[in-house]
Each structure stands twice: as structure tokens, then as C-alpha cells.
Amino acid sequence: MLGGVVACCMACGEGRRSHSKVDDREASTGHIIAVSDSILRAGLTDTVALGRLREGETTRSELTLRNVGAVPFVIIGAETSCGCTTPEYAKEPLKPGSDACFAFEFNSTGFSGVQLKTISVRTSLDPKPFRIIVTAEVE
């Protein structure tokens, strides 16, 4: 488990990597999500647009969660709306002012057209999860 967390955190600096059966391309996202207890109470939702993908392509996105609050928090869990989306995240407490890696993979096998997937992330700050909406157009 520790190896997965280390790999996730190291990968955050590498940006978005797409693994395709047809081609292999890279692009940097630099996507930062600010998290605090007050932001969560207000109903945090963020969107990540993956763009156009070929059916069968798997893409990985790395995001940065930034603790902009005054207290540390822990990601308790992350649930997805579909088995095609797999999240990875650090389990250590995120101190105020610190960043943590949150990554996910989306596998487009069996999909076509506009896709809308949801990742619900629960933290120790608030019982209500915040949502990351993932969009893609699968050709």
C-alpha cells in the first residue's frame, strides 16, 4: 500500500499521462483543488475534462489537493459512479498549507459519446463528500 501512495505522489509531478492502444501522449494538467472545512460545508465540486479519447483508451490524471484550512485532514475514502474510474490517494494527514496527490484512471473500454463520471471524496473535515466530475468524449 505504501508503494502505491509513493508512486501516486511521485506521479503528481508528471502531469497527465494517457495510455492508449493506438498512441501514447502526455499533457500536463496542473489541476489544484483547494480544500478546507468551510469550502466543504459550501458544497465543493470540481470538474476535470479529459477531452476526446478513443474507445478502449485508458487515461490517468493527477490532481493536487491543497489544504487551505487551519486544521489537518485525512481522505477517508473515494467512491466512483462507475467501475471504469479508479482513484488513488494518500492516506496520511494533510497538514494546513500542504499538498497531496489525488490521481485517477478512466478506462473508456465499452463507452462511446459524452461520458460523465463522478468521484465522491470523503474527508475527516465533513461527513458530506466533495465531488470531482470527470468528463470525456469517447470516439
Side-chain angles (χ1 to χ4, degrees):
M1 178 165 34
L2 181 59
V5 171
V6 171
C8 176
C9 291
M10 289 177 64
C12 270
E14 295 178 12
R16 178 179 154 205
R17 184 169 287 163
S18 175
H19 302 287
S20 169
K21 295 176 184 173
V22 178
D23 67 337
D24 191 19
R25 59 186 179 194
E26 279 190 47
S28 177
T29 59
H31 198 100
I32 297 172
I33 299 175
V35 180
S36 72
D37 53 349
S38 60
I39 291 172
L40 292 177
R41 280 195 301 275
L44 172 63
T45 301
D46 207 322
T47 302
V48 177
L50 300 177
R52 291 179 183 233
L53 304 172
R54 292 187 181 111
E55 190 277 331
E57 186 174 6
T58 297
T59 187
R60 177 179 173 87
S61 290
E62 289 93 13
L63 314 173
T64 300
L65 299 183
R66 179 165 292 153
N67 185 347
V68 297
V71 297
F73 72 86
V74 175
I75 298 173
I76 297 170
E79 299 174 0
T80 62
S81 60
C82 175
C84 62
T85 308
T86 309
E88 294 177 22
Y89 51 91
K91 309 244 187 311
E92 294 80 26
L94 183 58
K95 296 177 183 175
S98 297
D99 292 344
C101 179
F102 186 93
F104 66 90
E105 284 189 354
F106 170 68
N107 183 342
S108 67
T109 301
F111 293 100
S112 66
V114 175
Q115 300 299 308
L116 182 69
K117 308 299 177 189
T118 304
I119 303 171
S120 298
V121 181
R122 291 181 297 114
T123 72
S124 59
L125 292 174
D126 195 303
K128 183 174 70 173
F130 71 86
R131 301 203 187 320
I132 300 171
I133 308 298
V134 180
T135 63
E137 184 175 343
V138 181
E139 302 173 328

mmCIF file with all atom_site columns, all heavy atoms in Angstrom, residues 111-133:
data_model
loop_
_atom_site.group_PDB
_atom_site.id
_atom_site.type_symbol
_atom_site.label_atom_id
_atom_site.label_alt_id
_atom_site.label_comp_id
_atom_site.label_asym_id
_atom_site.label_entity_id
_atom_site.label_seq_id
_atom_site.pdbx_PDB_ins_code
_atom_site.Cartn_x
_atom_site.Cartn_y
_atom_site.Cartn_z
_atom_site.occupancy
_atom_site.B_iso_or_equiv
_atom_site.pdbx_formal_charge
_atom_site.auth_seq_id
_atom_site.auth_comp_id
_atom_site.auth_asym_id
_atom_site.auth_atom_id
_atom_site.pdbx_PDB_model_num
ATOM 1   N N   . PHE A 1 111 ? -17.360 2.285  -23.967 1.00 0.00 ? 111 PHE A N   1
ATOM 2   C CA  . PHE A 1 111 ? -18.111 3.537  -23.930 1.00 0.00 ? 111 PHE A CA  1
ATOM 3   C C   . PHE A 1 111 ? -18.005 4.265  -25.261 1.00 0.00 ? 111 PHE A C   1
ATOM 4   O O   . PHE A 1 111 ? -17.024 4.112  -25.991 1.00 0.00 ? 111 PHE A O   1
ATOM 5   C CB  . PHE A 1 111 ? -17.579 4.463  -22.826 1.00 0.00 ? 111 PHE A CB  1
ATOM 6   C CG  . PHE A 1 111 ? -17.821 3.948  -21.443 1.00 0.00 ? 111 PHE A CG  1
ATOM 7   C CD1 . PHE A 1 111 ? -16.802 3.325  -20.748 1.00 0.00 ? 111 PHE A CD1 1
ATOM 8   C CD2 . PHE A 1 111 ? -19.056 4.070  -20.843 1.00 0.00 ? 111 PHE A CD2 1
ATOM 9   C CE1 . PHE A 1 111 ? -17.007 2.840  -19.476 1.00 0.00 ? 111 PHE A CE1 1
ATOM 10  C CE2 . PHE A 1 111 ? -19.281 3.597  -19.567 1.00 0.00 ? 111 PHE A CE2 1
ATOM 11  C CZ  . PHE A 1 111 ? -18.255 2.978  -18.884 1.00 0.00 ? 111 PHE A CZ  1
ATOM 12  N N   . SER A 1 112 ? -19.015 5.087  -25.561 1.00 0.00 ? 112 SER A N   1
ATOM 13  C CA  . SER A 1 112 ? -18.953 5.984  -26.713 1.00 0.00 ? 112 SER A CA  1
ATOM 14  C C   . SER A 1 112 ? -19.778 7.222  -26.388 1.00 0.00 ? 112 SER A C   1
ATOM 15  O O   . SER A 1 112 ? -20.682 7.183  -25.553 1.00 0.00 ? 112 SER A O   1
ATOM 16  C CB  . SER A 1 112 ? -19.466 5.306  -27.988 1.00 0.00 ? 112 SER A CB  1
ATOM 17  O OG  . SER A 1 112 ? -20.844 5.033  -27.866 1.00 0.00 ? 112 SER A OG  1
ATOM 18  N N   . GLY A 1 113 ? -19.418 8.322  -27.031 1.00 0.00 ? 113 GLY A N   1
ATOM 19  C CA  . GLY A 1 113 ? -20.129 9.575  -26.804 1.00 0.00 ? 113 GLY A CA  1
ATOM 20  C C   . GLY A 1 113 ? -19.639 10.295 -25.557 1.00 0.00 ? 113 GLY A C   1
ATOM 21  O O   . GLY A 1 113 ? -18.597 9.977  -24.991 1.00 0.00 ? 113 GLY A O   1
ATOM 22  N N   . VAL A 1 114 ? -20.419 11.264 -25.117 1.00 0.00 ? 114 VAL A N   1
ATOM 23  C CA  . VAL A 1 114 ? -20.065 12.071 -23.964 1.00 0.00 ? 114 VAL A CA  1
ATOM 24  C C   . VAL A 1 114 ? -20.235 11.236 -22.695 1.00 0.00 ? 114 VAL A C   1
ATOM 25  O O   . VAL A 1 114 ? -21.267 10.605 -22.484 1.00 0.00 ? 114 VAL A O   1
ATOM 26  C CB  . VAL A 1 114 ? -20.932 13.346 -23.892 1.00 0.00 ? 114 VAL A CB  1
ATOM 27  C CG1 . VAL A 1 114 ? -20.648 14.130 -22.620 1.00 0.00 ? 114 VAL A CG1 1
ATOM 28  C CG2 . VAL A 1 114 ? -20.698 14.215 -25.116 1.00 0.00 ? 114 VAL A CG2 1
ATOM 29  N N   . GLN A 1 115 ? -19.201 11.242 -21.871 1.00 0.00 ? 115 GLN A N   1
ATOM 30  C CA  . GLN A 1 115 ? -19.212 10.495 -20.615 1.00 0.00 ? 115 GLN A CA  1
ATOM 31  C C   . GLN A 1 115 ? -19.118 11.474 -19.448 1.00 0.00 ? 115 GLN A C   1
ATOM 32  O O   . GLN A 1 115 ? -18.375 12.452 -19.507 1.00 0.00 ? 115 GLN A O   1
ATOM 33  C CB  . GLN A 1 115 ? -18.040 9.512  -20.555 1.00 0.00 ? 115 GLN A CB  1
ATOM 34  C CG  . GLN A 1 115 ? -18.056 8.487  -21.657 1.00 0.00 ? 115 GLN A CG  1
ATOM 35  C CD  . GLN A 1 115 ? -19.309 7.633  -21.608 1.00 0.00 ? 115 GLN A CD  1
ATOM 36  O OE1 . GLN A 1 115 ? -19.653 7.066  -20.571 1.00 0.00 ? 115 GLN A OE1 1
ATOM 37  N NE2 . GLN A 1 115 ? -20.003 7.552  -22.734 1.00 0.00 ? 115 GLN A NE2 1
ATOM 38  N N   . LEU A 1 116 ? -19.881 11.188 -18.399 1.00 0.00 ? 116 LEU A N   1
ATOM 39  C CA  . LEU A 1 116 ? -19.883 11.994 -17.188 1.00 0.00 ? 116 LEU A CA  1
ATOM 40  C C   . LEU A 1 116 ? -19.784 11.030 -16.010 1.00 0.00 ? 116 LEU A C   1
ATOM 41  O O   . LEU A 1 116 ? -20.700 10.251 -15.769 1.00 0.00 ? 116 LEU A O   1
ATOM 42  C CB  . LEU A 1 116 ? -21.167 12.809 -17.111 1.00 0.00 ? 116 LEU A CB  1
ATOM 43  C CG  . LEU A 1 116 ? -21.327 13.757 -15.941 1.00 0.00 ? 116 LEU A CG  1
ATOM 44  C CD1 . LEU A 1 116 ? -20.343 14.911 -16.063 1.00 0.00 ? 116 LEU A CD1 1
ATOM 45  C CD2 . LEU A 1 116 ? -22.746 14.292 -15.901 1.00 0.00 ? 116 LEU A CD2 1
ATOM 46  N N   . LYS A 1 117 ? -18.668 11.058 -15.315 1.00 0.00 ? 117 LYS A N   1
ATOM 47  C CA  . LYS A 1 117 ? -18.411 10.165 -14.181 1.00 0.00 ? 117 LYS A CA  1
ATOM 48  C C   . LYS A 1 117 ? -18.192 11.015 -12.936 1.00 0.00 ? 117 LYS A C   1
ATOM 49  O O   . LYS A 1 117 ? -17.720 12.146 -13.023 1.00 0.00 ? 117 LYS A O   1
ATOM 50  C CB  . LYS A 1 117 ? -17.182 9.275  -14.425 1.00 0.00 ? 117 LYS A CB  1
ATOM 51  C CG  . LYS A 1 117 ? -17.224 8.514  -15.743 1.00 0.00 ? 117 LYS A CG  1
ATOM 52  C CD  . LYS A 1 117 ? -18.405 7.584  -15.822 1.00 0.00 ? 117 LYS A CD  1
ATOM 53  C CE  . LYS A 1 117 ? -18.459 6.894  -17.176 1.00 0.00 ? 117 LYS A CE  1
ATOM 54  N NZ  . LYS A 1 117 ? -19.672 6.151  -17.370 1.00 0.00 ? 117 LYS A NZ  1
ATOM 55  N N   . THR A 1 118 ? -18.518 10.473 -11.771 1.00 0.00 ? 118 THR A N   1
ATOM 56  C CA  . THR A 1 118 ? -18.384 11.200 -10.516 1.00 0.00 ? 118 THR A CA  1
ATOM 57  C C   . THR A 1 118 ? -17.482 10.441 -9.550  1.00 0.00 ? 118 THR A C   1
ATOM 58  O O   . THR A 1 118 ? -17.609 9.228  -9.407  1.00 0.00 ? 118 THR A O   1
ATOM 59  C CB  . THR A 1 118 ? -19.765 11.390 -9.852  1.00 0.00 ? 118 THR A CB  1
ATOM 60  O OG1 . THR A 1 118 ? -20.632 12.047 -10.768 1.00 0.00 ? 118 THR A OG1 1
ATOM 61  C CG2 . THR A 1 118 ? -19.661 12.228 -8.589  1.00 0.00 ? 118 THR A CG2 1
ATOM 62  N N   . ILE A 1 119 ? -16.580 11.176 -8.901  1.00 0.00 ? 119 ILE A N   1
ATOM 63  C CA  . ILE A 1 119 ? -15.770 10.637 -7.814  1.00 0.00 ? 119 ILE A CA  1
ATOM 64  C C   . ILE A 1 119 ? -16.175 11.408 -6.569  1.00 0.00 ? 119 ILE A C   1
ATOM 65  O O   . ILE A 1 119 ? -16.055 12.638 -6.522  1.00 0.00 ? 119 ILE A O   1
ATOM 66  C CB  . ILE A 1 119 ? -14.264 10.806 -8.075  1.00 0.00 ? 119 ILE A CB  1
ATOM 67  C CG1 . ILE A 1 119 ? -13.856 10.149 -9.393  1.00 0.00 ? 119 ILE A CG1 1
ATOM 68  C CG2 . ILE A 1 119 ? -13.461 10.225 -6.905  1.00 0.00 ? 119 ILE A CG2 1
ATOM 69  C CD1 . ILE A 1 119 ? -12.427 10.455 -9.815  1.00 0.00 ? 119 ILE A CD1 1
ATOM 70  N N   . SER A 1 120 ? -16.708 10.706 -5.564  1.00 0.00 ? 120 SER A N   1
ATOM 71  C CA  . SER A 1 120 ? -17.103 11.322 -4.294  1.00 0.00 ? 120 SER A CA  1
ATOM 72  C C   . SER A 1 120 ? -15.994 11.066 -3.279  1.00 0.00 ? 120 SER A C   1
ATOM 73  O O   . SER A 1 120 ? -15.687 9.909  -2.973  1.00 0.00 ? 120 SER A O   1
ATOM 74  C CB  . SER A 1 120 ? -18.418 10.723 -3.794  1.00 0.00 ? 120 SER A CB  1
ATOM 75  O OG  . SER A 1 120 ? -19.452 10.983 -4.723  1.00 0.00 ? 120 SER A OG  1
ATOM 76  N N   . VAL A 1 121 ? -15.402 12.139 -2.779  1.00 0.00 ? 121 VAL A N   1
ATOM 77  C CA  . VAL A 1 121 ? -14.256 12.044 -1.875  1.00 0.00 ? 121 VAL A CA  1
ATOM 78  C C   . VAL A 1 121 ? -14.695 12.448 -0.467  1.00 0.00 ? 121 VAL A C   1
ATOM 79  O O   . VAL A 1 121 ? -15.165 13.567 -0.261  1.00 0.00 ? 121 VAL A O   1
ATOM 80  C CB  . VAL A 1 121 ? -13.096 12.946 -2.349  1.00 0.00 ? 121 VAL A CB  1
ATOM 81  C CG1 . VAL A 1 121 ? -11.896 12.822 -1.423  1.00 0.00 ? 121 VAL A CG1 1
ATOM 82  C CG2 . VAL A 1 121 ? -12.720 12.633 -3.791  1.00 0.00 ? 121 VAL A CG2 1
ATOM 83  N N   . ARG A 1 122 ? -14.555 11.524 0.475   1.00 0.00 ? 122 ARG A N   1
ATOM 84  C CA  . ARG A 1 122 ? -14.897 11.796 1.871   1.00 0.00 ? 122 ARG A CA  1
ATOM 85  C C   . ARG A 1 122 ? -13.613 12.116 2.648   1.00 0.00 ? 122 ARG A C   1
ATOM 86  O O   . ARG A 1 122 ? -12.603 11.444 2.482   1.00 0.00 ? 122 ARG A O   1
ATOM 87  C CB  . ARG A 1 122 ? -15.596 10.603 2.511   1.00 0.00 ? 122 ARG A CB  1
ATOM 88  C CG  . ARG A 1 122 ? -16.991 10.374 1.954   1.00 0.00 ? 122 ARG A CG  1
ATOM 89  C CD  . ARG A 1 122 ? -17.716 9.207  2.600   1.00 0.00 ? 122 ARG A CD  1
ATOM 90  N NE  . ARG A 1 122 ? -17.010 7.947  2.349   1.00 0.00 ? 122 ARG A NE  1
ATOM 91  C CZ  . ARG A 1 122 ? -16.421 7.205  3.287   1.00 0.00 ? 122 ARG A CZ  1
ATOM 92  N NH1 . ARG A 1 122 ? -16.435 7.558  4.540   1.00 0.00 ? 122 ARG A NH1 1
ATOM 93  N NH2 . ARG A 1 122 ? -15.805 6.090  2.962   1.00 0.00 ? 122 ARG A NH2 1
ATOM 94  N N   . THR A 1 123 ? -13.698 13.153 3.482   1.00 0.00 ? 123 THR A N   1
ATOM 95  C CA  . THR A 1 123 ? -12.560 13.554 4.311   1.00 0.00 ? 123 THR A CA  1
ATOM 96  C C   . THR A 1 123 ? -12.985 13.584 5.776   1.00 0.00 ? 123 THR A C   1
ATOM 97  O O   . THR A 1 123 ? -14.174 13.531 6.097   1.00 0.00 ? 123 THR A O   1
ATOM 98  C CB  . THR A 1 123 ? -12.032 14.949 3.924   1.00 0.00 ? 123 THR A CB  1
ATOM 99  O OG1 . THR A 1 123 ? -12.971 15.937 4.367   1.00 0.00 ? 123 THR A OG1 1
ATOM 100 C CG2 . THR A 1 123 ? -11.771 15.067 2.435   1.00 0.00 ? 123 THR A CG2 1
ATOM 101 N N   . SER A 1 124 ? -11.998 13.733 6.646   1.00 0.00 ? 124 SER A N   1
ATOM 102 C CA  . SER A 1 124 ? -12.268 13.846 8.080   1.00 0.00 ? 124 SER A CA  1
ATOM 103 C C   . SER A 1 124 ? -12.829 15.219 8.452   1.00 0.00 ? 124 SER A C   1
ATOM 104 O O   . SER A 1 124 ? -13.248 15.418 9.593   1.00 0.00 ? 124 SER A O   1
ATOM 105 C CB  . SER A 1 124 ? -10.980 13.564 8.868   1.00 0.00 ? 124 SER A CB  1
ATOM 106 O OG  . SER A 1 124 ? -9.973  14.487 8.504   1.00 0.00 ? 124 SER A OG  1
ATOM 107 N N   . LEU A 1 125 ? -12.879 16.159 7.515   1.00 0.00 ? 125 LEU A N   1
ATOM 108 C CA  . LEU A 1 125 ? -13.363 17.511 7.803   1.00 0.00 ? 125 LEU A CA  1
ATOM 109 C C   . LEU A 1 125 ? -14.877 17.605 7.851   1.00 0.00 ? 125 LEU A C   1
ATOM 110 O O   . LEU A 1 125 ? -15.421 18.412 8.594   1.00 0.00 ? 125 LEU A O   1
ATOM 111 C CB  . LEU A 1 125 ? -12.852 18.500 6.748   1.00 0.00 ? 125 LEU A CB  1
ATOM 112 C CG  . LEU A 1 125 ? -11.365 18.779 6.738   1.00 0.00 ? 125 LEU A CG  1
ATOM 113 C CD1 . LEU A 1 125 ? -11.009 19.646 5.543   1.00 0.00 ? 125 LEU A CD1 1
ATOM 114 C CD2 . LEU A 1 125 ? -10.941 19.443 8.036   1.00 0.00 ? 125 LEU A CD2 1
ATOM 115 N N   . ASP A 1 126 ? -15.562 16.828 7.031   1.00 0.00 ? 126 ASP A N   1
ATOM 116 C CA  . ASP A 1 126 ? -17.004 16.958 6.902   1.00 0.00 ? 126 ASP A CA  1
ATOM 117 C C   . ASP A 1 126 ? -17.574 15.616 6.469   1.00 0.00 ? 126 ASP A C   1
ATOM 118 O O   . ASP A 1 126 ? -16.997 14.964 5.594   1.00 0.00 ? 126 ASP A O   1
ATOM 119 C CB  . ASP A 1 126 ? -17.318 18.028 5.840   1.00 0.00 ? 126 ASP A CB  1
ATOM 120 C CG  . ASP A 1 126 ? -18.753 18.506 5.880   1.00 0.00 ? 126 ASP A CG  1
ATOM 121 O OD1 . ASP A 1 126 ? -19.662 17.674 5.748   1.00 0.00 ? 126 ASP A OD1 1
ATOM 122 O OD2 . ASP A 1 126 ? -18.973 19.726 6.026   1.00 0.00 ? 126 ASP A OD2 1
ATOM 123 N N   . PRO A 1 127 ? -18.702 15.199 7.042   1.00 0.00 ? 127 PRO A N   1
ATOM 124 C CA  . PRO A 1 127 ? -19.274 13.915 6.632   1.00 0.00 ? 127 PRO A CA  1
ATOM 125 C C   . PRO A 1 127 ? -19.790 13.915 5.184   1.00 0.00 ? 127 PRO A C   1
ATOM 126 O O   . PRO A 1 127 ? -19.890 12.867 4.559   1.00 0.00 ? 127 PRO A O   1
ATOM 127 C CB  . PRO A 1 127 ? -20.420 13.687 7.614   1.00 0.00 ? 127 PRO A CB  1
ATOM 128 C CG  . PRO A 1 127 ? -20.672 14.988 8.270   1.00 0.00 ? 127 PRO A CG  1
ATOM 129 C CD  . PRO A 1 127 ? -19.437 15.826 8.124   1.00 0.00 ? 127 PRO A CD  1
ATOM 130 N N   . LYS A 1 128 ? -20.081 15.107 4.670   1.00 0.00 ? 128 LYS A N   1
ATOM 131 C CA  . LYS A 1 128 ? -20.549 15.217 3.285   1.00 0.00 ? 128 LYS A CA  1
ATOM 132 C C   . LYS A 1 128 ? -19.346 15.178 2.341   1.00 0.00 ? 128 LYS A C   1
ATOM 133 O O   . LYS A 1 128 ? -18.390 15.928 2.514   1.00 0.00 ? 128 LYS A O   1
ATOM 134 C CB  . LYS A 1 128 ? -21.326 16.524 3.113   1.00 0.00 ? 128 LYS A CB  1
ATOM 135 C CG  . LYS A 1 128 ? -21.928 16.706 1.735   1.00 0.00 ? 128 LYS A CG  1
ATOM 136 C CD  . LYS A 1 128 ? -22.801 17.945 1.671   1.00 0.00 ? 128 LYS A CD  1
ATOM 137 C CE  . LYS A 1 128 ? -21.952 19.181 1.740   1.00 0.00 ? 128 LYS A CE  1
ATOM 138 N NZ  . LYS A 1 128 ? -22.676 20.427 1.518   1.00 0.00 ? 128 LYS A NZ  1
ATOM 139 N N   . PRO A 1 129 ? -19.368 14.303 1.325   1.00 0.00 ? 129 PRO A N   1
ATOM 140 C CA  . PRO A 1 129 ? -18.221 14.232 0.404   1.00 0.00 ? 129 PRO A CA  1
ATOM 141 C C   . PRO A 1 129 ? -18.184 15.422 -0.549  1.00 0.00 ? 129 PRO A C   1
ATOM 142 O O   . PRO A 1 129 ? -19.198 16.070 -0.785  1.00 0.00 ? 129 PRO A O   1
ATOM 143 C CB  . PRO A 1 129 ? -18.473 12.945 -0.370  1.00 0.00 ? 129 PRO A CB  1
ATOM 144 C CG  . PRO A 1 129 ? -19.946 12.785 -0.352  1.00 0.00 ? 129 PRO A CG  1
ATOM 145 C CD  . PRO A 1 129 ? -20.407 13.352 0.964   1.00 0.00 ? 129 PRO A CD  1
ATOM 146 N N   . PHE A 1 130 ? -16.990 15.695 -1.073  1.00 0.00 ? 130 PHE A N   1
ATOM 147 C CA  . PHE A 1 130 ? -16.934 16.626 -2.196  1.00 0.00 ? 130 PHE A CA  1
ATOM 148 C C   . PHE A 1 130 ? -16.840 15.793 -3.462  1.00 0.00 ? 130 PHE A C   1
ATOM 149 O O   . PHE A 1 130 ? -16.477 14.630 -3.439  1.00 0.00 ? 130 PHE A O   1
ATOM 150 C CB  . PHE A 1 130 ? -15.807 17.663 -2.060  1.00 0.00 ? 130 PHE A CB  1
ATOM 151 C CG  . PHE A 1 130 ? -14.401 17.173 -2.235  1.00 0.00 ? 130 PHE A CG  1
ATOM 152 C CD1 . PHE A 1 130 ? -13.820 17.095 -3.491  1.00 0.00 ? 130 PHE A CD1 1
ATOM 153 C CD2 . PHE A 1 130 ? -13.631 16.833 -1.134  1.00 0.00 ? 130 PHE A CD2 1
ATOM 154 C CE1 . PHE A 1 130 ? -12.510 16.682 -3.648  1.00 0.00 ? 130 PHE A CE1 1
ATOM 155 C CE2 . PHE A 1 130 ? -12.318 16.428 -1.271  1.00 0.00 ? 130 PHE A CE2 1
ATOM 156 C CZ  . PHE A 1 130 ? -11.754 16.336 -2.531  1.00 0.00 ? 130 PHE A CZ  1
ATOM 157 N N   . ARG A 1 131 ? -17.231 16.391 -4.564  1.00 0.00 ? 131 ARG A N   1
ATOM 158 C CA  . ARG A 1 131 ? -17.332 15.640 -5.804  1.00 0.00 ? 131 ARG A CA  1
ATOM 159 C C   . ARG A 1 131 ? -16.364 16.170 -6.858  1.00 0.00 ? 131 ARG A C   1
ATOM 160 O O   . ARG A 1 131 ? -16.202 17.374 -7.019  1.00 0.00 ? 131 ARG A O   1
ATOM 161 C CB  . ARG A 1 131 ? -18.747 15.707 -6.340  1.00 0.00 ? 131 ARG A CB  1
ATOM 162 C CG  . ARG A 1 131 ? -19.756 15.156 -5.347  1.00 0.00 ? 131 ARG A CG  1
ATOM 163 C CD  . ARG A 1 131 ? -21.017 14.695 -5.978  1.00 0.00 ? 131 ARG A CD  1
ATOM 164 N NE  . ARG A 1 131 ? -22.094 14.291 -5.142  1.00 0.00 ? 131 ARG A NE  1
ATOM 165 C CZ  . ARG A 1 131 ? -22.093 13.603 -4.023  1.00 0.00 ? 131 ARG A CZ  1
ATOM 166 N NH1 . ARG A 1 131 ? -20.973 13.263 -3.507  1.00 0.00 ? 131 ARG A NH1 1
ATOM 167 N NH2 . ARG A 1 131 ? -23.176 13.297 -3.381  1.00 0.00 ? 131 ARG A NH2 1
ATOM 168 N N   . ILE A 1 132 ? -15.764 15.218 -7.555  1.00 0.00 ? 132 ILE A N   1
ATOM 169 C CA  . ILE A 1 132 ? -14.965 15.534 -8.726  1.00 0.00 ? 132 ILE A CA  1
ATOM 170 C C   . ILE A 1 132 ? -15.737 14.954 -9.898  1.00 0.00 ? 132 ILE A C   1
ATOM 171 O O   . ILE A 1 132 ? -15.985 13.738 -9.943  1.00 0.00 ? 132 ILE A O   1
ATOM 172 C CB  . ILE A 1 132 ? -13.555 14.922 -8.636  1.00 0.00 ? 132 ILE A CB  1
ATOM 173 C CG1 . ILE A 1 132 ? -12.814 15.466 -7.408  1.00 0.00 ? 132 ILE A CG1 1
ATOM 174 C CG2 . ILE A 1 132 ? -12.776 15.182 -9.922  1.00 0.00 ? 132 ILE A CG2 1
ATOM 175 C CD1 . ILE A 1 132 ? -11.501 14.780 -7.111  1.00 0.00 ? 132 ILE A CD1 1
ATOM 176 N N   . ILE A 1 133 ? -16.145 15.809 -10.817 1.00 0.00 ? 133 ILE A N   1
ATOM 177 C CA  . ILE A 1 133 ? -16.880 15.391 -12.001 1.00 0.00 ? 133 ILE A CA  1
ATOM 178 C C   . ILE A 1 133 ? -15.851 15.195 -13.123 1.00 0.00 ? 133 ILE A C   1
ATOM 179 O O   . ILE A 1 133 ? -15.078 16.098 -13.416 1.00 0.00 ? 133 ILE A O   1
ATOM 180 C CB  . ILE A 1 133 ? -17.925 16.446 -12.436 1.00 0.00 ? 133 ILE A CB  1
ATOM 181 C CG1 . ILE A 1 133 ? -18.819 16.847 -11.257 1.00 0.00 ? 133 ILE A CG1 1
ATOM 182 C CG2 . ILE A 1 133 ? -18.723 15.947 -13.618 1.00 0.00 ? 133 ILE A CG2 1
ATOM 183 C CD1 . ILE A 1 133 ? -19.637 15.721 -10.676 1.00 0.00 ? 133 ILE A CD1 1
#
